[in-house]
Amino acid sequence: MLIKASANGRLEDTIRGEGGIDSLVWDGESPNIDIQIVNESIMDERYPDFYELTLNRLGKAGSYEINELLSKNQWINKSDTDKPIEYFRRDIHSTYFLGSRSFNDPQVQELSQRGETFLSALTGPFVREG
């Protein structure tokens, strides 16, 4: 339910409709909801194969913050010195897109302010209409 809402740009409405993030955590006390998607069918090394969405609870008011990561080769056995290629990373402090230090596009800032994920603005293997 949450990943579909996220991809369709309706995450904030869905969470609010369910009574806030507090009502969605499995035990009512967990500090976050963590969703990971691995696409093992992508063999082309130019494209991402891992998406992680973490919704961190903020207090008891039903609010949340979004952390996201879209990367390549997250699950391939690598040495400790190798890091996955990060296409984008978002946390409470910053947003990073591959090839830039930060991203200040007005559409991206609007998504952040609305409580939506960047997945809703993307197209590709993790996003399908319907």
Side-chain angles (χ1 to χ4, degrees):
M1 164 183 73
L2 290 178
I3 202 69
K4 181 178 179 180
S6 174
N8 291 327
R10 300 202 34 83
L11 182 64
E12 188 173 36
D13 290 341
T14 299
I15 290 174
R16 190 177 357 189
E18 293 293 324
I21 196 81
D22 294 339
S23 65
L24 293 173
V25 295
W26 73 272
D27 63 357
E29 297 297 323
S30 296
N32 60 35
I33 296 172
D34 192 36
I35 300 168
Q36 297 178 345
I37 300 173
V38 179
N39 188 335
E40 296 175 350
S41 67
I42 297 178
M43 302 307 289
D44 190 326
E45 62 188 46
R46 297 173 294 169
Y47 298 107
D49 59 8
F50 177 81
Y51 175 75
E52 180 175 30
L53 169 63
T54 302
L55 303 173
N56 293 314
R57 289 175 58 194
L58 299 175
K60 297 283 186 183
S63 300
Y64 61 96
E65 72 179 23
I66 297 172
N67 292 332
E68 294 178 277
L69 173 67
L70 180 66
S71 66
K72 176 66 181 169
N73 297 331
Q74 179 72 23
W75 298 107
I76 293 177
N77 291 330
K78 294 182 162 196
S79 72
D80 291 339
T81 59
D82 289 338
K83 293 184 179 178
I85 298 169
E86 292 185 352
Y87 287 83
F88 77 79
R89 177 180 12 92
R90 170 187 177 190
D91 60 33
I92 193 167
H93 303 293
S94 65
T95 301
Y96 166 82
F97 279 78
L98 182 67
S100 69
R101 293 181 183 206
S102 65
F103 197 71
N104 293 319
D105 183 281
Q107 181 184 12
V108 171
Q109 289 183 358
E110 181 201 356
L111 286 171
S112 297
Q113 293 167 356
R114 283 192 356 223
E116 295 296 336
T117 65
F118 294 121
L119 188 60
S120 65
L122 298 175
T123 59
F126 295 109
V127 181
R128 298 221 171 135
E129 295 294 323

